[in-house]
Amino acid sequence: MKKNSIILMILALGLIVSSLSAFERVAVEGQNKTVDITVDYLEVEKLAKQSDQDVKWWLGQFKDMGISSVALNEESFETLSAEKKPIHFDVVGNILEELDWQDKYPKHVADYLSTGDIDHYDFVVTTNDQGLFQFIKNALELRYDPKKIKIFAEDNRYVFVLDGDIKDALYTQKRTLIDQESKPYKEETLLFGSQLMRLSLGLDTEKVDIVKESGLEVLPRPYNYQDWSGDHYVKAVLEDYKRFGISPKYMVFGGKQVLGYPDAVEITESYMKKNDIKLGLIESTVQREHIKQDGLEELARSLEYNSIRIFSVPPYIQKRFKFYNYEGAEEIENTLYRGITERNIRMIYFRPFMKDDRVYVTDVEEYEKTFDQLKARIAEHGMTFGEASVMAPNHLEIWKKIVMGWGIAAAVVLLGSYFMTLNDKFKYGLLVVGIIGVTGMCYVLPSWADKILALTAAIVFPSLSMVYLFNMSGQYYDIKKKDRSLANSILLGIRDLLVTSAISFMGALFVASTLSDIEYLLEMDIFRGVKAAQLLPIVVFGVIYMMYFGYKRKQDTKKQPQLPIDDMKRLLFDNIKIIYVAAAAVVLAAGYIYIARTGHETNIQPSTFEMITRNLLEVKLLARPRTKEFLIAFPAIIVAVYAARHRYKTLLFLAGLAGIIGQTSIVNTFSHLRTPMYLSLIRTVYALGFGIVLGIGYVVVLEISMRLIRLVRGEKLHG
């Protein structure tokens, strides 16, 4: 390779600072080793109804399994109705459309609805139960603006009229009316109800008592509706906690906003700071970032990131009982294990297992087995059940980001020097421009600098690994036949796999260190360049291959690595054969699947066999190696070396193409910033080990196959 001593020194400096930052991140992650579990009260209630035991019994069983608390939502008009309490509610607009609606209400109420200062969006609640009336009346008077509430009581009939407006309204989706010929006649949406049906009324005393008697703690789920929220409301909610003797360790908000949003969040913040309450960030259903709630991220920052990531078991996971041909809840256990070990989840919001949409699993032994196995598996990572731990608020100092940026800029110049002939003056001029640009960007655009630097590193270093591979392959291509022994091919292949992977690991290190801020570790922010980081190095690979081997270039043509015009002409003006089109279609399909399967936001999912294999590796190993790495991409580097030494150009290209996917995958593994770095490293080491074993096997099979072909052709065998 060319001598670039100053460039390499700056690159080395960047790597040193990157390593220091990585050690700091690992130290922060290493203190985050305790996981808590809460169970949803409503789901346990449903489970109990289908079993021979009551809620209290089930909560006691869950306590023995390691669950510490019960998540309890505050009551609302909606929940009271769902529990079959004697209550009815609707909006005025629907009430007035009914015939003889006045007969359904006391005279004072009917008169008020007919002549009062009301509109179609006001919300009317009725009950004939005095106890329920007192509960609702007390809640409304303690929590909300009395100007928005009108209360009527007459002949054991109780009515509440709440001042609603169009922002509260709920409508049905647009529907189309058709005539007898099935032609569209009219489109309409109907006024269905009001969001005020979820207005918080406080905790149910009976439910709180059941939880406490079971020995578990109450984890209240405060609900905030911003147009009805304020200082008065927040203070009433917190006063309720004091009255019930509840001292929550976590604050996990329900609904779309944090408690007190928009104008009274400071009261919530002060309460949480005073009582050292951790903020819950509920992971989204696609297992990326968290559910958006107004004021949530601002509150996390105000609390200096005293926050935990929560995995709320969604219905589709609940129903993975006897999934993938397992005998019980093993796949649900696998899901919880992955969340804890791979995604920095420190609280499981548990919901009981289900056999289908309606039927719960009522065999308590299934739950005991799941939690016992989960506890044992996370113990292998030094983790335990207990009060959820938090990560220290790690922040990357700007000077470290700048020096790492210099190292990445040096790598860009280094890569560019292999594509173009640059004299020292121009080369170092580019380096100076890069250093100045990185420094300025870190000060002027700090929020963008880390992402841009990480994306650049993710593209450049896998590309540099291919420069190394094809530089070596070009040398192998010219060796004499007698030097092409199988043993040498294997040893050189292993060496080159390790070197290319080490180069790509440098990029992974830069990505993981540059994006080591606590906001990335909590997934309040994410690396958004994953797709580009996987695609662009493949494009660069094609250019590098053309530089070293061209297109239909004569084997005896001796040229310095470059992109000659003749090769480009042959490629662009070559006759396209049907086999080329078919091959291109296969490659494009494979590429689409490769990109589409990245992440969780896709309908392309692994097969059942692949998932069972993955789960087996996950159980047997500390970290599951990535399938594409150890099965295809890493062995492909060894195969590429073999192909270069035997002048199999087509095989060299295909193996190199598979190889670059593996190198980008190394960086991609460390781009999952929520995953602890030690786990990403172990995963990559496992993949390299398995990949070397399989690579040796593939090369041996290739050698035997080629010998058999030559034998059939009557050619003389060498070595």
Side-chain angles (χ1 to χ4, degrees), residues 296-312:
L296 184 68
E297 293 187 356
E298 293 81 2
L299 181 57
R301 296 183 184 105
S302 298
L303 295 171
E304 297 180 350
Y305 304 95
N306 186 24
S307 306
I308 57 171
R309 301 193 73 236
I310 298 175
F311 176 66
S312 179

Side-chain angles (χ1 to χ4, degrees), residues 376-407:
R377 290 176 69 182
I378 67 172
E380 296 178 1
H381 295 264
M383 297 179 179
T384 58
F385 288 165
E387 183 176 344
S389 55
V390 297
M391 287 183 285
N394 188 58
H395 296 293
L396 185 63
E397 297 169 83
I398 191 167
W399 73 265
K400 292 180 181 178
K401 186 187 296 187
I402 289 171
V403 175
M404 285 191 281
W406 292 353

Side-chain angles (χ1 to χ4, degrees), residues 485-554:
S485 69
L486 178 61
N488 279 345
S489 294
I490 290 174
L491 291 173
L492 290 171
I494 294 172
R495 183 199 68 182
D496 290 347
L497 169 60
L498 294 176
V499 173
T500 54
S501 298
I503 295 171
S504 296
F505 177 73
M506 294 178 192
L509 187 62
F510 275 119
V511 171
S513 302
T514 306
L515 304 178
S516 60
D517 188 271
I518 186 65
E519 295 215 2
Y520 291 106
L521 304 186
L522 289 174
E523 276 212 333
M524 292 169 62
D525 201 353
I526 60 173
F527 177 40
R528 303 182 185 276
V530 172
K531 303 292 187 185
Q534 290 178 309
L535 284 173
L536 290 179
I538 296 175
V539 176
V540 176
F541 157 81
V543 176
I544 295 171
Y545 178 85
M546 289 288 289
M547 287 169 55
Y548 280 91
F549 296 99
Y551 180 73
K552 293 187 177 181
R553 188 186 295 174
K554 294 180 181 179

Side-chain angles (χ1 to χ4, degrees), residues 616-659:
L616 179 63
L617 290 171
E618 207 168 63
V619 170
K620 299 297 182 182
L621 303 174
L622 193 60
R624 176 185 63 81
R626 304 187 82 172
T627 308
K628 62 187 173 187
E629 290 179 359
F630 77 82
L631 197 61
I632 301 173
F634 289 166
I637 298 293
I638 300 176
V639 171
V641 170
Y642 175 86
R645 287 168 59 82
H646 290 76
R647 294 194 169 191
Y648 300 146
K649 257 190 179 182
T650 302
L651 180 59
L652 173 60
F653 174 79
L654 294 175
L657 182 60

Side-chain angles (χ1 to χ4, degrees), residues 170-296:
L170 295 171
Y171 295 90
T172 61
Q173 287 189 333
K174 185 180 291 186
R175 66 179 185 180
T176 303
L177 303 180
I178 59 174
D179 61 18
Q180 74 279 5
E181 297 177 350
S182 298
K183 294 180 179 179
Y185 177 75
K186 178 184 178 183
E187 287 187 343
E188 64 177 11
T189 57
L190 302 178
L191 179 62
F192 174 79
S194 172
Q195 296 181 65
L196 297 180
M197 67 180 179
R198 290 188 178 175
L199 212 58
S200 175
L201 302 174
L203 296 170
D204 185 303
T205 303
E206 183 180 350
K207 293 176 182 177
V208 171
D209 290 342
I210 290 173
V211 174
K212 288 187 171 183
E213 289 168 9
S214 71
L216 291 169
E217 297 176 5
V218 176
L219 175 62
R221 298 286 314 276
Y223 178 87
N224 192 87
Y225 188 56
Q226 68 179 74
D227 289 342
W228 285 64
S229 183
D231 292 7
H232 196 60
Y233 172 70
V234 176
K235 290 175 181 177
V237 171
L238 300 181
E239 186 61 33
D240 255 9
Y241 297 168
K242 183 178 180 180
R243 179 169 61 88
F244 282 115
I246 297 172
S247 301
K249 295 177 181 176
Y250 318 98
M251 196 68 84
V252 185
F253 301 111
K256 299 177 181 179
Q257 303 115 24
V258 303
L259 180 62
Y261 184 87
D263 299 322
V265 180
E266 294 81 5
I267 300 174
T268 303
E269 177 191 330
S270 176
Y271 176 78
M272 293 180 70
K273 285 181 176 179
K274 180 180 178 181
N275 295 282
D276 192 27
I277 298 173
K278 302 174 179 70
L279 177 64
L281 308 175
I282 305 172
E283 187 179 62
S284 71
T285 55
V286 295
Q287 298 177 10
R288 175 180 173 178
E289 299 181 271
H290 52 263
I291 295 173
K292 300 300 181 185
Q293 294 175 304
D294 295 333
L296 184 68

Side-chain angles (χ1 to χ4, degrees), residues 10 406 409 413 426-439:
I10 294 175
W406 292 353
V413 174
F426 188 72
K427 185 190 305 181
Y428 291 115
L430 285 177
L431 181 60
V432 170
V433 170
I435 288 173
I436 294 172
V438 165
T439 305

Side-chain angles (χ1 to χ4, degrees), residues 459-695:
I459 295 169
V460 169
F461 284 92
S463 300
L464 281 171
S465 76
M466 288 297 102
V467 170
Y468 167 82
L469 178 64
F470 282 109
N471 182 65
M472 299 306 299
S473 296
Q475 296 177 34
Y476 302 148
Y477 205 80
D478 296 329
I479 65 174
K480 297 179 181 178
K481 284 189 176 182
K482 65 181 181 180
D483 296 325
R484 298 175 184 168
S485 69
L486 178 61
N488 279 345
S489 294
I490 290 174
L491 291 173
L492 290 171
I494 294 172
R495 183 199 68 182
D496 290 347
L497 169 60
L498 294 176
V499 173
T500 54
S501 298
I503 295 171
S504 296
F505 177 73
M506 294 178 192
L509 187 62
F510 275 119
V511 171
S513 302
T514 306
L515 304 178
S516 60
D517 188 271
I518 186 65
E519 295 215 2
Y520 291 106
L521 304 186
L522 289 174
E523 276 212 333
M524 292 169 62
D525 201 353
I526 60 173
F527 177 40
R528 303 182 185 276
V530 172
K531 303 292 187 185
Q534 290 178 309
L535 284 173
L536 290 179
I538 296 175
V539 176
V540 176
F541 157 81
V543 176
I544 295 171
Y545 178 85
M546 289 288 289
M547 287 169 55
Y548 280 91
F549 296 99
Y551 180 73
K552 293 187 177 181
R553 188 186 295 174
K554 294 180 181 179
Q555 289 190 357
D556 58 351
T557 303
K558 301 285 186 181
K559 289 187 177 181
Q560 286 293 108
Q562 57 181 311
L563 200 60
I565 300 300
D566 291 343
D567 289 312
M568 294 299 296
K569 285 182 177 179
R570 282 193 292 270
L571 176 64
L572 294 173
F573 296 103
D574 196 11
N575 293 325
I576 299 177
K577 297 179 174 61
I578 293 177
I579 189 66
Y580 292 172
V581 177
V586 171
V587 170
L588 287 173
Y592 171 76
I593 294 172
Y594 164 62
I595 294 298
R597 275 186 46 169
T598 301
H600 299 270
E601 300 168 67
T602 174
N603 292 324
I604 301 178
Q605 296 297 331
S607 65
T608 298
F609 175 76
E610 183 180 350
M611 284 304 303
I612 292 173
T613 304
R614 285 184 177 190
N615 291 342
L616 179 63
L617 290 171
E618 207 168 63
V619 170
K620 299 297 182 182
L621 303 174
L622 193 60
R624 176 185 63 81
R626 304 187 82 172
T627 308
K628 62 187 173 187
E629 290 179 359
F630 77 82
L631 197 61
I632 301 173
F634 289 166
I637 298 293
I638 300 176
V639 171
V641 170
Y642 175 86
R645 287 168 59 82
H646 290 76
R647 294 194 169 191
Y648 300 146
K649 257 190 179 182
T650 302
L651 180 59
L652 173 60
F653 174 79
L654 294 175
L657 182 60
I660 184 60
I661 290 174
Q663 299 308 302
T664 61
S665 182
I666 291 175
V667 180
N668 179 255
T669 295
F670 286 83
S671 299
H672 291 78
L673 305 169
R674 63 201 178 177
T675 303
M677 281 192 70
Y678 84 92
L679 198 70
S680 297
L681 182 60
I682 292 171
R683 172 169 286 153
T684 302
V685 171
Y686 274 140
L688 280 170
F690 291 155
I692 288 171
V693 172
L694 288 174

